[in-house]
Amino acid sequence: MNTSRIGGLVLGLLLLGAGTASAREAITISPEKVQKICSERVPRVESRVKALTDRINGGPETLGSKKWIEQKAADARKAGNTARADVLDARLKLRDAQLVKLGKAAERVAGFKSRHCGAK
């Protein structure tokens, strides 16, 4: 099948309403599954979000932190390697976007926890 036929098929399905995200239905989860999510999954996600946030906000000695990347970019500029410095600056911007995503993930987990897991 060539790409124009696939594109036409996808467009046709979208026009017919198949696969639209606006038609969300509530998902029902069994109480056993909710208990398992609350006891196993939520704590793991919370600890992972905290660990990643701590790493990104760490000092210059923490590998992958914003300050570490800033230091490496400054060292690259000082050595005359502007291409590497530009790559590191782009990575620094990604770290800021990752912090936003991690914050939103923490909010979603906290919302699920308060609604379904009780006051734990």
Side-chain angles (χ1 to χ4, degrees), residues 53-70:
T53 303
D54 290 347
R55 180 178 181 182
I56 291 172
N57 290 328
E61 69 283 347
T62 304
L63 294 177
S65 70
K66 288 172 32 176
K67 291 184 181 184
W68 182 82
I69 294 172
E70 288 172 351

Side-chain angles (χ1 to χ4, degrees), residues 85-101:
D86 292 342
V87 168
L88 291 167
D89 288 338
R91 187 181 296 175
L92 189 60
K93 289 178 186 176
L94 287 176
R95 289 293 189 267
D96 291 330
Q98 288 171 335
L99 279 176
V100 171
K101 288 180 185 178

Side-chain angles (χ1 to χ4, degrees), residues 3-76:
T3 55
S4 63
R5 291 173 107 184
I6 293 172
L9 179 63
V10 170
L11 181 61
L13 288 174
L14 288 175
L15 290 175
L16 292 175
T20 59
S22 63
R24 287 189 172 181
E25 294 182 22
I27 298 173
T28 305
I29 303 173
S30 69
E32 297 83 23
K33 192 76 160 177
V34 170
Q35 180 61 32
K36 186 174 182 178
I37 291 170
C38 290
S39 65
E40 295 176 12
R41 193 76 181 136
V42 168
R44 283 194 318 214
V45 172
E46 287 175 330
S47 67
R48 181 153 183 162
V49 166
K50 184 183 180 325
L52 289 171
T53 303
D54 290 347
R55 180 178 181 182
I56 291 172
N57 290 328
E61 69 283 347
T62 304
L63 294 177
S65 70
K66 288 172 32 176
K67 291 184 181 184
W68 182 82
I69 294 172
E70 288 172 351
Q71 182 64 43
K72 292 294 179 185
D75 292 346

